[in-house]
Amino acid sequence: MLAVITIAAAGTAVLLGLAIGAFVQRQSRPYLLVVAALAALFGRSTVAGITIVGLFSQAEHHLLEHGLDVILVALVIAAVYHSRTISNKTEFDT
């Protein structure tokens, strides 16, 4: 199980790195929100790994992972909402 979590964390770290690169290039709020969402996803893998090695109890594990789930979803919704409101403001009628 620890190997699976390690692979998931490594994959998420790669995605997070790519998102950070995209944010540095674009420097927009939606990209920042996506970076934060992927950081929360990476945090979930970290919490799972820490739980497997015995540093968190099951109660702490569930509280932290579900809390990170809520944060992740909120950040994705915020990124989509912000993108939609910005694109509506800059759209021209022809």
Side-chain angles (χ1 to χ4, degrees), residues 2 13 25 29 45 48 51 58 61 70 73 86-87 90:
L2 188 56
Q25 191 173 36
R29 186 171 293 153
S45 297
T51 302
Q58 287 298 319
H61 165 82
V70 170
V73 169
I86 293 300
S87 67
T90 59

Side-chain angles (χ1 to χ4, degrees), residues 19 22-24 26-39 75 79:
F23 169 70
V24 167
R26 298 288 182 154
Q27 295 198 3
S28 69
R29 186 171 293 153
Y31 279 82
L32 179 60
L33 293 168
V34 169
V35 167
L38 288 171
L75 288 166

Side-chain angles (χ1 to χ4, degrees), residues 36-56:
L38 288 171
L41 186 61
F42 181 74
R44 289 188 82 242
S45 297
T46 304
V47 167
I50 290 172
T51 302
I52 293 264
V53 298
L55 296 176
F56 286 152

